[in-house]
């Protein structure tokens, strides 16, 4: 994971920073207070309340507990956007005592929350290895070849820079073969339309997960926070199922 962060983002990017024991030991209580005083301000904060409470009560409680919290100036930091390499690069960490290889195929992706391609991309990633147990990576690496207990992929959006990762752990002697399968499955998604049954299975899975998530007040709070933080359309989540239903094999 440390190497993955560095090669994807660069050592000078906050997402590529590697934490060491020395870093931890050097942190003082004064450092923590200075960080708090520098960054924690109500004028760049969001308060989301979901539950058995009305707006009047919520405002009263908010004023009671946060009314004395003073606004302040904050900095705006910027970082160079990492870009995906133009050709495949391989980074090895040699651990002679290891009986397994940990494999990550990864790269940064310019995909932010609310991106118009995000729902299509999550369907694609689910078919590859990010959703049901029958994802292609799991089927090929575990069921067909018996090289691993699990193989997954993940596509994450982010305000700064998103990322993609396909990962698994295999015994050492099939490391190269497992990497080849991962790359082949990624390439197949580009060249071959997914079967309608596979597409519908993933859409049904995502549909069900979305519906179940609405039973959790924390999910509702996250939706409200995302809408405010990322300036999403007011109907972004209420129209989610409609947009998901419209995804086609060509979109994938």
């Amino acid at each position: 994971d440390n190497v993955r962060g560095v090669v994807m983002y660069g050592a000078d990017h906050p997402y590529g920073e590697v934490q060491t024991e020395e870093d931890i030991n050097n942190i003082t209580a004064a450092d923590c207070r200075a960080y708090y005083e520098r960054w924690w301000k109500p004028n760049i904060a969001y308060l989301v309340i979901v539950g058995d409470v009305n707006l009047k009560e919520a405002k009263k409680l908010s004023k009671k507990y946060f009314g004395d919290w003073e606004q302040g100036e904050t900095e705006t930091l910027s970082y160079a956007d990492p870009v995906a390499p133009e050709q495949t690069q391989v980074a090895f960490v040699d651990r002679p005592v290891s009986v397994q290889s940990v494999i990550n195929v990864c790269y940064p992706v310019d995909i932010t929350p609310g991106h118009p391609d995000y729902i299509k991309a999550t369907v694609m990633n689910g078919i590859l290895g990010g959703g049901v147990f029958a994802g292609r990576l799991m089927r090929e690496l575990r069921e067909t070849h018996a090289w691993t207990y699990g193989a997954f992929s993940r596509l994450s959006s982010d305000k700064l820079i998103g990322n993609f990762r396909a990962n698994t752990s295999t015994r050492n002697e099939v490391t190269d073969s497992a990497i080849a399968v991962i790359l082949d499955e990624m390439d197949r998604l580009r060249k071959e339309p997914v079967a309608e049954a596979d597409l519908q299975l993933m859409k049904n899975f995502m549909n069900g997960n979305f519906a179940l998530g609405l039973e959790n007040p924390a999910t509702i709070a996250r939706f409200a926070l995302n809408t405010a933080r990322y300036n999403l359309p007011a109907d972004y989540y209420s129209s989610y199922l409609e947009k998901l239903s419209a995804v086609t094999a060509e979109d994938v």
Side-chain angles (χ1 to χ4, degrees):
D1 284 345
N2 287 341
V3 175
R4 178 171 55 87
V6 172
V7 298
M8 274 206 299
Y9 303 111
D12 295 329
H13 193 280
Y15 293 174
E17 186 177 278
V18 176
Q19 182 175 278
T20 68
E21 185 176 0
E22 184 181 8
D23 294 333
I24 300 298
N25 290 335
N26 285 338
I27 295 173
T28 66
D31 292 329
C32 297
R33 176 170 291 279
Y35 185 89
Y36 175 85
E37 292 175 347
R38 180 183 181 190
W39 293 111
W40 290 66
K41 308 293 181 183
N43 42 300
I44 57 168
Y46 299 89
L47 176 63
V48 181
I49 300 174
V50 175
D52 185 16
V53 61
N54 61 41
L55 182 60
K56 183 178 179 180
E57 294 169 334
K59 285 186 173 181
K60 181 179 178 180
L61 289 169
S62 302
K63 187 173 182 179
K64 176 181 178 181
Y65 290 107
F66 296 101
D68 294 334
W69 193 13
E70 296 183 359
Q71 297 190 28
E73 294 294 324
T74 58
E75 304 170 56
T76 300
L77 302 181
S78 60
Y79 308 93
D81 288 336
V83 296
E86 294 183 0
Q87 59 186 10
T88 302
Q89 300 177 3
V90 182
F92 280 109
V93 178
D94 185 20
R95 297 181 76 245
V97 298
S98 296
V99 296
Q100 283 191 316
S101 295
V102 175
I103 301 167
N104 279 283
V105 177
C106 55
Y107 51 90
V109 181
D110 183 15
I111 190 163
T112 54
H115 191 287
D117 286 337
Y118 181 69
I119 294 176
K120 302 171 187 177
T122 54
V123 174
M124 175 279 299
N125 179 66
I127 292 170
L128 178 65
V132 293
F133 191 80
R136 290 182 174 185
L137 295 180
M138 183 74 79
R139 284 205 308 258
E140 284 301 305
L141 292 169
R142 174 181 166 130
E143 302 301 321
T144 301
H145 296 291
W147 289 340
T148 182
Y149 282 107
F152 306 95
S153 63
R154 183 172 67 182
L155 179 71
S156 301
S157 64
D158 187 88
K159 188 175 182 178
L160 290 183
I161 184 75
N163 72 86
F164 168 82
R165 173 174 60 165
N167 64 285
T168 190
S169 297
T170 68
R171 62 186 189 275
N172 292 334
E173 58 268 24
V174 295
T175 301
D176 54 348
S177 302
I179 293 171
V181 167
I182 293 172
L183 297 179
D184 283 347
E185 288 300 326
M186 292 169 62
D187 199 40
R188 187 157 74 96
L189 275 171
R190 287 192 290 266
K191 294 178 177 177
E192 300 176 10
V194 297
E196 189 61 33
D198 290 343
L199 176 63
Q200 197 57 52
L201 174 66
M202 181 48 53
K203 289 161 70 171
N204 290 345
F205 175 78
M206 293 172 63
N207 192 324
N209 271 356
F210 183 84
L212 286 173
L214 296 178
E215 298 178 1
N216 188 339
T219 300
I220 306 299
R222 179 165 51 84
F223 288 173
L225 179 60
N226 288 348
T227 301
R229 287 182 69 192
Y230 305 124
N231 195 31
L232 301 179
D235 68 343
Y236 181 79
Y237 289 104
S238 61
S239 63
Y240 173 83
L241 294 180
E242 181 182 351
K243 294 192 285 276
L244 175 61
S245 178
V247 175
T248 67
E250 185 62 29
D251 292 330
V252 171

